[in-house]
């Protein structure tokens, strides 16, 4: 199995300030087709998760541009340029390169 | 964008079979992987398995011996069966429709397992 490791697991942030979450995979996520299937999800309290980013850096429809994804190989990052109150929740990375999809442990973002 | 609505029994006894169904609205079955994902209380997400429009399945090896995911294209529905449940199977179960450009989620079903 591809193990996904996120850090930090808890991230207190000040409104309007940037935030960054790291995700590392136990093996390269570059698929044989040349794509890298690394996604980011947001789960607000009491809600179903929502995909924010697909294939490392592509924002899903309707996702604010303050969210951005970057990285390659085994190291990936989700950045929020200016945190807003509605961004509180748990963020997960997930790899879809291997047939067995695996998620990171989650990073809880809260307002200081 | 497809929308998903799921239902099924939420209270089970140990050794019973969990059975959930997810209806797909607003899209076709082709081009998507139809998946089930679960979340134990207070914990993270675990992928259970998926089925594509032709009926080909992939299952998480940790659950493979107990899981069946099936498709009913005539009703635009797909289903999950998990046999011999224990307390470790409790949590919220989500159905999902996955494509490169879209990932849609059901509303989730809380599953409780009693002894």
């Amino acid at each position: 199995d591809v193990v996904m490791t996120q850090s930090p697991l808890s991230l207190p942030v000040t409104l309007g300030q940037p935030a960054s979450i790291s995700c590392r995979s136990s093996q390269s996520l570059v698929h044989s087709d040349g794509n890298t299937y690394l996604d980011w999800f947001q789960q607000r309290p009491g809600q179903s998760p929502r995909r924010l980013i697909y294939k490392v850096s592509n924002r899903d429809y309707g996702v604010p541009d303050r969210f951005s994804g970057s990285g390659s190989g085994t190291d990936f990052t989700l950045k929020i340029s200016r945190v807003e109150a509605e961004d509180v929740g748990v963020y997960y990375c997930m790899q879809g390169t291997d047939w067995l999809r695996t998620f990171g442990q989650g990073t809880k973002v809260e307002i200081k | 964008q497809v929308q998903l609505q799921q239902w099924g029994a939420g209270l089970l006894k140990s050794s019973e079979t969990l059975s959930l169904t997810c209806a797909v609205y607003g899209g076709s079955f082709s081009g998507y992987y139809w998946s089930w994902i679960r979340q134990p209380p207070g914990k993270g997400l675990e992928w259970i398995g998926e089925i594509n429009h032709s009926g080909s399945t992939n299952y998480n090896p940790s659950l493979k011996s107990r899981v069946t995911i099936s498709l009913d294209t005539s009703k635009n529905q797909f289903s999950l069966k998990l046999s011999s449940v224990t307390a470790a199977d409790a949590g919220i179960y989500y159905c999902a429709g996955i494509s490169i450009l879209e990932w849609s989620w059901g509303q989730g079903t809380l599953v409780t397992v009693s002894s």
Side-chain angles (χ1 to χ4, degrees):
Chain A
D1 303 0
V2 179
V3 178
M4 306 298 290
T5 303
Q6 291 182 226
S7 63
L9 300 185
S10 178
L11 183 57
V13 294
T14 301
L15 287 174
Q17 292 301 302
S20 180
I21 301 170
S22 171
C23 176
R24 291 184 174 174
S25 57
S26 60
Q27 62 193 64
S28 174
L29 297 185
V30 180
H31 194 274
S32 57
D33 65 8
N35 290 303
T36 299
Y37 296 99
L38 186 284
D39 299 344
W40 287 97
F41 294 84
Q42 174 195 60
Q43 187 175 29
R44 291 171 171 155
Q47 295 187 12
S48 299
R50 164 200 184 194
R51 194 177 69 178
L52 299 176
I53 302 284
Y54 64 95
K55 289 200 294 181
V56 181
S57 59
N58 298 275
R59 274 190 302 275
D60 273 277
Y61 179 78
V63 173
D65 61 7
R66 65 178 180 275
F67 290 94
S68 64
S70 63
S72 63
T74 61
D75 287 348
F76 304 92
T77 303
L78 175 71
K79 292 183 178 178
I80 309 174
S81 59
R82 295 173 305 279
V83 172
E84 298 188 5
E86 66 179 18
D87 300 334
V88 166
V90 181
Y91 291 77
Y92 297 91
C93 60
M94 188 216 74
Q95 67 79 23
T97 295
D98 187 69
W99 69 269
L100 173 56
R101 302 177 195 267
T102 48
F103 292 89
Q105 318 97 298
T107 295
K108 186 174 184 179
V109 172
E110 57 185 9
I111 304 300
K112 281 183 184 176
Chain B
Q1 186 170 14
V2 298
Q3 296 192 8
L4 305 178
Q5 185 171 9
Q6 60 183 99
W7 64 89
L11 180 58
L12 298 170
K13 295 181 180 178
S14 292
S15 79
E16 290 185 335
T17 295
L18 182 159
S19 182
L20 300 174
T21 299
C22 187
V24 180
Y25 300 98
S28 70
F29 262 43
S30 62
Y32 287 82
Y33 288 95
W34 304 102
S35 303
W36 291 94
I37 294 144
R38 70 179 185 179
Q39 185 170 34
K43 296 189 177 180
L45 301 167
E46 179 184 30
W47 181 77
I48 297 170
E50 64 191 17
I51 187 168
N52 68 10
H53 67 279
S54 63
S56 177
T57 55
N58 285 318
Y59 297 133
N60 190 321
S62 68
L63 300 169
K64 186 174 183 178
S65 63
R66 299 192 290 132
V67 172
T68 303
I69 296 175
S70 58
L71 206 59
D72 186 339
T73 54
S74 67
K75 295 182 178 179
N76 270 23
Q77 295 175 359
F78 62 105
S79 298
L80 168 72
K81 290 189 185 300
L82 179 67
S83 64
S84 303
V85 299
T86 70
D89 295 312
I92 299 175
Y93 284 70
Y94 297 98
C95 62
I98 304 170
S99 72
I100 294 295
L101 296 179
E102 181 184 353
W103 187 311
S104 297
W105 294 79
Q107 76 275 23
T109 299
L110 178 62
V111 172
T112 304
V113 180
S114 67
S115 55

